[in-house]
């Protein structure tokens, strides 16, 4: 039987067991700064080339991690934007277009094929990948720029690419320092050295311990963060966690049986886990999003379902996305730490 021992979240010996993982989360901001600093000169060269070539006909973001770029760019990009997670490129992409590739490891054959195809067709190509990697080798060409990265941190690489796209007028502000500051703020607030009473990461983990997390974000980026957070919760707990649009989540909340104050919490046979509505709030004020949030919270209140709100108050949309994602990741790891199996 698996149960949640919240005392482990403040237990130094238990926390020591996941020290490396927590250190990695705490260094998220530092990685963003490091990747930005390491690629500063190549990024300036890519911007110079873009100025000489003029605005592209379209932007193709290739590779499995292209969906994050799409979530950020679609509302802003002044030219058609396509996320292409499959190998190669769409048939129409050519010398008038810009191809960007995020290659976290630089070893993916699909990403390498996309880079090679962009070079063959004469497209402008900007690749974020480790130097001397498979993708970097296939990206060599007259109209290509490699943004060298250490690899492994997709978010840090995405911020680097978004900085380039903002510099050439194709995307919104994605200031690396602002993103890093937002990540540092989360790392401080969710530090393992802060106890349960004041640590938002631990508090959310406790709230989700015996529940079905139902994660919702209203804006495009908050919705992507919700999906990533739900994935992290599933991996951490081995239990269900769902994310989706408001119309998809409402039936889950409406199907929850009303809470009965007379239920015996120590009964051997317990009903299925009750949902907990987790709202990722990035400050979006679109009237449709406000109405969707109202519908979800009213449905939750009507059935006694707890509502947890995770807020991000950073100064840019991308920084708020990064903040929400890191807060959810901390909570997932604290949830994993607290779950124990009876022997």
């Amino acid at each position: 039987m698996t149960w949640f021992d919240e005392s482990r979240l403040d237990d130094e010996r238990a926390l020591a067991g996941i020290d490396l993982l927590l250190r990695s989360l705490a260094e998220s901001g530092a990685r963003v700064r490091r990747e930005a600093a390491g690629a500063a000169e190549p990024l300036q060269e890519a911007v110079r080339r873009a100025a000489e070539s003029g605005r592209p006909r379209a932007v193709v973001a290739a590779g499995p991690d292209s969906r994050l770029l799409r979530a950020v760019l679609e509302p802003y990009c002044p030219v058609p934007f396509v996320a292409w997670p499959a190998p190669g490129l769409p048939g129409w992409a050519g010398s008038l277009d810009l191809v960007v590739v995020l290659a976290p490891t630089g070893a993916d054959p699909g990403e390498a094929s996309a880079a090679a195809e962009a070079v063959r067709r004469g497209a402008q190509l900007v690749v974020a990948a480790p130097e001397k990697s498979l993708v970097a080798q296939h990206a060599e060409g007259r109209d290509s720029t490699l943004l060298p990265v250490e690899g492994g941190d997709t978010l840090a690489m995405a911020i680097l690419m978004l900085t380039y796209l903002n510099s050439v007028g194709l995307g919104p502000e994605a200031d690396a320092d602002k993103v890093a500051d937002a990540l540092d703020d989360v790392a401080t607030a969710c530090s393992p050295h802060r106890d349960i009473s004041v640590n938002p990461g631990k508090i959310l983990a406790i709230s989700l311990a015996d529940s079905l997390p139902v994660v919702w974000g209203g804006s495009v980026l908050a919705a992507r963060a919700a999906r990533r957070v739900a994935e992290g919760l599933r991996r951490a707990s081995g239990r269900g966690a769902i994310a989706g649009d408001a119309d998809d989540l409402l039936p889950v909340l409406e199907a929850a049986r009303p809470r009965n104050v007379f239920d015996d919490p120590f009964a051997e046979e317990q009903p299925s886990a009750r949902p907990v509505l987790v709202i990722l709030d990035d400050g979006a004020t679109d009237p449709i999003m406000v109405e969707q949030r109202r519908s979800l919270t009213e449905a939750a209140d009507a059935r006694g379902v707890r509502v947890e709100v995770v807020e991000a108050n950073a100064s840019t949309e991308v920084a708020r996305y990064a903040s929400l994602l890191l807060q959810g990741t901390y909570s997932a790891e604290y949830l994993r730490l607290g779950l124990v199996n009876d022997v």
Side-chain angles (χ1 to χ4, degrees), residues 19-31:
D19 180 68
L20 290 178
L21 192 150
L22 294 176
R23 284 179 183 271
S24 178
L25 296 183
E27 293 168 355
S28 297
R31 287 195 295 273

Side-chain angles (χ1 to χ4, degrees), residues 30-66:
R31 287 195 295 273
V32 169
R33 293 189 182 90
R34 183 171 63 244
E35 300 291 26
E41 290 187 11
L43 191 147
Q44 291 177 356
E45 173 64 17
V47 172
R48 184 191 63 77
R49 288 183 176 179
E52 293 176 352
S53 302
R55 176 173 289 180
R57 176 183 61 178
V59 178
V60 180
D65 295 305
S66 59

